[in-house]
Amino acid sequence: MSEPEESISPDKSNPTSLSPQGRNESRPTDFIRDIIRRDIETNRFGGRVHTRFPPEPNGYLHIGHAKSIVLNFGIAEEFGGLCNLRFDDTNPEKEDIEYIESIKEDVRWLGYDWGDRLFHASDYFDQLYEYAIELIKKGKAYVDDLSPEELRQTRGTLTEPGIESPYRNRSVEENLDLFQRMRAGEFPEGSRTLRAKIDMKSPNLNMRDPVMYRIKYATHPHVGDKWCIYPMYDYTHCVSDSIEGITHSICTLEFEDHRPLYDWFLDELGIYHPQQIEFARLNLSYTVMSKRKLLQLVKEGYVAGWDDPRMPTISGLRRRGVPPQAIRNFCERIGVAKNDSVVDIALLEFCIREVLNKTAPRVMGVLNPLKVTLINYPEDQVEMMEALNNPEDASMGTRWVPFCRELYIDRDDFREEPPPKYYRLAPGREVRLRYAYFIKCEEVIKDENGEVIELRCTYDPNTRGGFAPDGRKVKATIHWVSARHALDAEVRLYDRLFTVPNPLGEDEEGDFLKYLNPNSLTILTNCKVEPSLGEAKPGDRFQLEREGYFCLDSKDSQPGHIVMNRTVTLKDTWAKIEASLKEA
Ligand code: ATP
Ligand code: MG
């Protein structure tokens, strides 16, 4: 058996610049890829590269999982290898078909394909059982009668060795008999376990006779009621990797201390032995990432579901309007390293903007409508104004936007008493309407409470297209929609889910609920959008000019009832952060 090597030192700088259109334009380099390149050079696995993504189907995938997916599938793609999707389903009580389906959908949506290599750890339960018998026969595993509580008490601590179980030295025959009867369902839950016989004095707690099997009378989502004993993760994972011929078993840092056990099982069984390599998990500011915490947010109703657009789940990001390319770019940009760190959520937002800027068609929509009447515009006239779909990309073409005597502009684009440096509309002032005319505010109409309800303006017919023949300039261009043609829309504005960068605190176990952002969702029900949006489909992404990037909500948007989610604002905070880092 080849001895796994120590990981070589990680490369912390990961210079990758990825175009939002294509993958791997400049190949990422990191310590994992270095190991793989060296293994190919030395023909260690016959030159093969075979990875796997092994989610436990006990929740929806989050952006941390995306990092692992992009890494595993990305490496396979890059080195001409394969990547399996494997459900690590050893915990029947917490697992569910709903999760299995959502995981498959999310991996596919991210752009990856496992071909015909969709596996379940439970597919290997028979083989795992046979291997357990082998270990018993070798004197390397035994049935223990200690209760879960007694197991805990005799395990020892980091400073104290564990205590050997009185059942540790049972004969092979007795162990075989008891293990077979465990499987046959003769004993109650929690009454017995199968343990590996390693070393109760090992400084590594994982090596102190870890449990391999426990009794559980639970129906398994994939294999039903066939089993009443279930193998533990550590035993299952290495054997599954071995059976599938995985070359590089890439996992997160918390498994570093489990690697000796991973290696022990495979060496004792004398079977094919992949290389486990650990990397630091992704942590993201202003959110939580553990499935347990996310489940709590869903179960206790703090969010509308796993796919709530505020959630860091893949399904939440998808519903929010994030393109899969932005997630792939983000994962490649943060790279992989061996030390834990927290990534600023502003970087994710930057990656989202970067892709949407290139790909999202521009449209006009007014979030807080204020009526404008053009008093000198013919009552029954309608003009079609040609508008660019993307000023950065002429190939995206143009569209026609209707213009008439009654318009809506955003309330924010008018001030009765404009402060200094406010150049937008004000009494007596002239501005440009995007793709249309100059207009000048002549009169302000208020309701009985003194609130502005309408502006009466004149337009200059000579400024069609946005320029005055006399060379007269205006200092602002604002967006608008035709009041006669606009469609009603509901717009949902999302903000960060938590008010502080690290809601869990230093110990990762704090009362994160007290940092939930009460303003993480604002619903605007009275918005007006240009009529071209009538043809948009759920999920379609747009830039509402001057407002941000939005998508049609995939669940609630319908013809006749447009619902839009704001994906991100236009304001790039990441560029500022990067600039200040460079200065420092
Ligand atoms: P969580 O802690 O969120 O519950 P998990 O590790 O229990 O996650 P799994 O379903 O076991 O979730 O994870 C599947 C794969 O994704 C594993 O290889 C795991 O290491 C990886 N993974 C999970 N969370 C992250 C993360 N935050 N960053 C990178 N990889 C992750
Ligand atoms: Mg896990």
Side-chain angles (χ1 to χ4, degrees):
M1 258 336 74
S2 58
E3 204 32 47
E5 296 152 60
E6 277 303 310
S7 317
I8 61 171
S9 81
D11 177 5
K12 282 184 203 148
S13 62
N14 289 295
T16 63
S17 85
L18 290 155
S19 95
Q21 255 78 44
R23 289 186 207 177
N24 301 329
E25 242 175 37
S26 73
R27 293 271 163 92
T29 113
D30 52 62
F31 76 101
I32 297 180
R33 286 169 167 91
D34 288 343
I35 294 173
I36 292 174
R37 269 187 214 104
R38 203 179 47 195
D39 287 346
I40 292 173
E41 267 161 36
T42 61
N43 209 32
R44 181 165 169 208
F45 298 103
R48 284 185 314 119
V49 174
H50 199 150
T51 55
R52 84 286 172 266
F53 173 63
E56 190 182 345
N58 61 349
Y60 280 61
L61 298 181
H62 52 60
I63 182 134
H65 293 110
K67 178 175 177 178
S68 175
I69 293 168
V70 171
L71 186 61
N72 279 293
F73 280 94
I75 281 177
E77 224 167 60
E78 215 172 301
F79 291 95
L82 297 170
C83 181
N84 298 355
L85 175 61
R86 182 201 311 146
F87 289 107
D88 237 313
D89 54 353
T90 53
N91 222 338
E93 285 141 346
K94 289 189 183 163
E95 292 159 8
D96 201 285
I97 297 286
E98 178 194 346
Y99 298 139
I100 293 188
E101 290 309 316
S102 77
I103 290 169
K104 290 199 274 188
E105 184 183 357
D106 289 350
V107 175
R108 256 189 236 115
W109 179 77
L110 280 172
Y112 298 106
D113 183 5
W114 54 86
D116 55 358
R117 296 173 316 282
L118 171 69
F119 302 114
H120 296 78
S122 57
D123 294 335
Y124 312 132
F125 281 177
D126 284 301
Q127 182 68 69
L128 283 156
Y129 181 79
E130 293 307 320
Y131 282 150
I133 302 255
E134 267 182 48
L135 289 175
I136 294 173
K137 285 182 179 160
K138 268 185 88 176
K140 297 291 182 181
Y142 62 96
V143 173
D144 200 340
D145 299 358
L146 295 184
S147 67
E149 184 50 34
E150 288 165 322
L151 285 181
R152 251 190 309 277
Q153 282 165 3
T154 52
R155 196 165 177 236
T157 63
L158 284 175
T159 49
E160 277 170 51
I163 300 161
E164 292 189 356
S165 164
Y167 306 98
R168 195 173 196 264
N169 294 313
R170 277 178 162 149
S171 69
V172 168
E173 290 67 35
E174 192 183 0
N175 282 320
L176 283 175
D177 174 59
L178 286 171
F179 187 50
Q180 276 149 10
R181 288 167 59 197
M182 274 170 69
R183 180 192 182 167
E186 289 188 27
F187 310 122
E189 240 175 65
S191 63
R192 288 192 159 92
T193 56
L194 183 74
R195 297 178 74 181
K197 194 170 184 177
I198 308 180
D199 179 7
M200 289 306 291
K201 292 187 195 66
S202 170
N204 183 340
L205 269 78
N206 297 305
M207 300 298 276
R208 294 183 187 169
D209 291 10
V211 172
M212 292 170 60
Y213 272 89
R214 68 251 198 253
I215 302 171
K216 256 188 212 284
Y217 293 95
T219 302
H220 189 281
H222 190 58
V223 292
D225 290 317
K226 183 172 174 192
W227 297 88
C228 64
I229 54 170
Y230 287 98
M232 300 296 286
Y233 173 87
D234 278 326
Y235 173 55
T236 310
H237 198 82
C238 56
V239 171
S240 305
D241 281 347
S242 175
I243 292 172
E244 291 177 16
I246 300 303
T247 55
H248 301 86
S249 177
I250 302 168
C251 60
T252 36
L253 228 43
E254 70 272 21
F255 291 103
E256 198 164 25
D257 291 344
H258 296 241
R259 180 161 20 109
L261 183 54
Y262 184 102
D263 295 334
W264 186 90
F265 280 125
L266 297 180
D267 287 341
E268 289 300 334
L269 289 167
I271 56 178
Y272 169 78
H273 195 150
Q275 166 78 60
Q276 176 179 309
I277 306 170
E278 309 85 15
F279 71 99
R281 61 172 47 229
L282 168 66
N283 300 299
L284 200 56
S285 63
Y286 294 95
T287 192
V288 293
M289 208 86 96
S290 108
K291 277 187 274 188
R292 197 159 49 86
K293 302 273 185 335
L294 295 175
L295 179 66
Q296 189 181 348
L297 293 176
V298 172
K299 281 253 159 85
E300 296 175 14
Y302 294 103
V303 292
W306 284 98
D307 67 349
D308 186 301
R310 292 166 291 181
M311 292 278 272
T313 50
I314 308 290
S315 49
L317 294 166
R318 174 168 61 233
R319 190 167 168 197
R320 175 127 170 198
V322 174
Q325 182 72 57
I327 298 179
R328 292 198 297 265
N329 291 358
F330 170 74
C331 291
E332 301 208 355
R333 200 171 251 131
I334 57 176
V336 286
K338 267 263 192 222
N339 47 336
D340 274 310
S341 65
V342 181
V343 174
D344 194 318
I345 199 164
L347 176 59
L348 175 60
E349 291 163 356
F350 170 83
C351 293
I352 297 169
R353 270 183 212 106
E354 187 187 41
V355 173
L356 290 177
N357 181 40
K358 294 210 167 71
T359 56
R362 274 55 170 171
V363 290
M364 291 196 282
V366 171
L367 301 191
N368 296 297
L370 173 60
K371 189 166 182 198
V372 169
T373 304
L374 302 178
I375 49 180
N376 62 337
Y377 194 89
E379 183 78 49
D380 50 7
Q381 181 171 309
V382 176
E383 285 176 87
M384 298 303 285
M385 302 299 185
E386 188 170 22
L388 293 171
N389 288 333
N390 189 343
E392 311 229 344
D393 182 357
S395 75
M396 287 174 72
T398 60
R399 68 188 185 288
W400 297 94
V401 187
F403 185 88
C404 70
R405 184 180 155 95
E406 294 93 29
L407 310 169
Y408 290 114
I409 64 165
D410 201 280
R411 279 192 176 270
D412 232 26
D413 286 333
F414 171 78
R415 293 289 161 83
E416 201 169 8
E417 287 162 35
K421 294 199 179 152
Y422 184 94
Y423 298 120
R424 290 169 268 166
L425 209 53
R429 192 180 284 173
E430 193 171 42
V431 296
R432 177 188 292 113
L433 294 180
R434 180 97 160 132
Y435 300 122
Y437 294 103
F438 285 10
I439 63 164
K440 187 172 170 193
C441 178
E442 308 287 355
E443 193 188 344
V444 179
I445 314 281
K446 297 180 181 178
D447 66 8
E448 64 276 15
N449 302 318
E451 203 196 327
V452 177
I453 51 167
E454 185 185 341
L455 303 178
R456 297 176 76 79
C457 302
T458 49
Y459 87 112
D460 178 351
N462 294 318
T463 56
R464 189 176 161 143
F467 296 97
D470 62 5
R472 183 166 102 246
K473 296 265 189 288
V474 288
K475 280 192 166 165
T477 302
I478 64 174
H479 62 282
W480 51 275
V481 292
S482 156
R484 287 187 210 162
H485 304 88
L487 304 175
D488 292 326
E490 172 183 326
V491 170
R492 301 172 181 170
L493 305 176
Y494 299 101
D495 198 354
R496 288 164 185 176
L497 193 47
F498 292 93
T499 55
V500 295
N502 181 5
L504 289 172
E506 288 310 312
D507 60 355
E508 297 290 307
E509 285 302 323
D511 177 16
F512 66 113
L513 295 176
K514 70 176 181 229
Y515 299 114
L516 273 170
N517 178 2
N519 303 315
S520 60
L521 170 60
T522 307
I523 300 179
L524 305 174
T525 52
N526 191 24
C527 309
K528 304 283 180 184
V529 295
E530 66 169 66
S532 72
L533 279 164
E535 282 148 47
K537 294 184 298 298
D540 284 356
R541 307 179 185 99
F542 299 94
Q543 184 194 100
L544 288 187
E545 290 210 29
R546 301 177 63 233
E547 296 289 358
Y549 292 102
F550 293 77
C551 76
L552 263 64
D553 188 73
S554 53
K555 274 196 177 158
D556 300 336
S557 196
Q558 283 158 16
H561 180 68
I562 296 174
V563 179
M564 297 184 88
N565 297 319
R566 184 171 69 194
T567 313
V568 279
T569 60
L570 294 173
K571 204 163 50 198
D572 179 16
T573 50
W574 179 252
K576 276 188 217 132
I577 296 169
E578 239 180 12
S580 70
L581 288 179
K582 274 190 194 126
E583 268 165 36

